[in-house]
Amino acid sequence: MLKVYYNNNCSVCRIEINHYIRKNTKNIKWIDISNNKEAEIELDKSARQLLRRLHVMHNSEVYEGAKAFIILWDRLPGYRWLSKLASFPVVYQLFYIAYEIVAIFLYLKNRGQLSGS
């Protein structure tokens, strides 16, 4: 089973993940990382690290960011083509850069939810 760790308190993240959840996702477990100590322990990541990028656990391995999306898309009906496209080296590099730019802005927007911020 694929586990997807996402920030349900982020409006942009929530909209996107809810779109994916409406797909046939019986074999995907959706885990909100908001104030989730269990997720921090399971992934061996701090709350800050979890907030910074999307994470997936597949075959006991943890992936984050662009790679996490590729793994997720590969398991979503109607998105496998996007997973294959994003896996091409040149496309992956562009996707990686675009993801990181968007992710940093979302992190800055949502970092207030971290305790002590």
Side-chain angles (χ1 to χ4, degrees), residues 2-51:
L2 184 72
K3 293 182 180 180
V4 178
Y5 299 83
Y6 70 101
N7 181 5
N8 196 50
N9 285 340
C10 168
S11 59
V12 174
C13 307
R14 183 175 52 251
I15 289 168
E16 183 168 11
I17 294 299
N18 283 338
H19 169 76
Y20 297 147
I21 289 172
R22 286 190 293 276
K23 302 287 179 187
N24 183 8
T25 59
K26 292 179 273 225
N27 296 321
I28 300 175
K29 184 174 182 180
W30 306 95
I31 301 166
D32 179 13
I33 57 97
S34 307
N35 301 311
N36 187 337
K37 294 292 182 196
E38 289 177 24
E40 293 174 38
I41 292 167
E42 183 174 15
L43 297 180
D44 193 26
K45 302 269 185 182
S46 69
R48 187 173 303 278
Q49 289 171 309
L50 290 178
L51 189 68

Side-chain angles (χ1 to χ4, degrees), residues 17-104:
I17 294 299
N18 283 338
H19 169 76
Y20 297 147
I21 289 172
R22 286 190 293 276
K23 302 287 179 187
N24 183 8
T25 59
K26 292 179 273 225
N27 296 321
I28 300 175
K29 184 174 182 180
W30 306 95
I31 301 166
D32 179 13
I33 57 97
S34 307
N35 301 311
N36 187 337
K37 294 292 182 196
E38 289 177 24
E40 293 174 38
I41 292 167
E42 183 174 15
L43 297 180
D44 193 26
K45 302 269 185 182
S46 69
R48 187 173 303 278
Q49 289 171 309
L50 290 178
L51 189 68
R52 178 67 179 81
R53 290 180 184 87
L54 177 81
H55 292 76
V56 299
M57 183 182 287
H58 177 58
N59 295 333
S60 301
E61 229 173 295
V62 178
Y63 302 89
E64 60 184 62
K67 183 66 176 169
F69 267 103
I70 290 171
I71 292 168
L72 172 59
W73 289 335
D74 191 53
R75 278 137 193 93
L76 288 173
Y79 283 84
R80 288 184 186 97
W81 68 271
L82 188 55
S83 172
K84 290 181 186 352
L85 176 65
S87 295
F88 286 110
V90 172
V91 177
Y92 178 79
Q93 289 302 316
L94 295 171
F95 173 48
Y96 177 87
I97 292 166
Y99 176 87
E100 289 299 320
I101 291 169
V102 170
I104 193 69

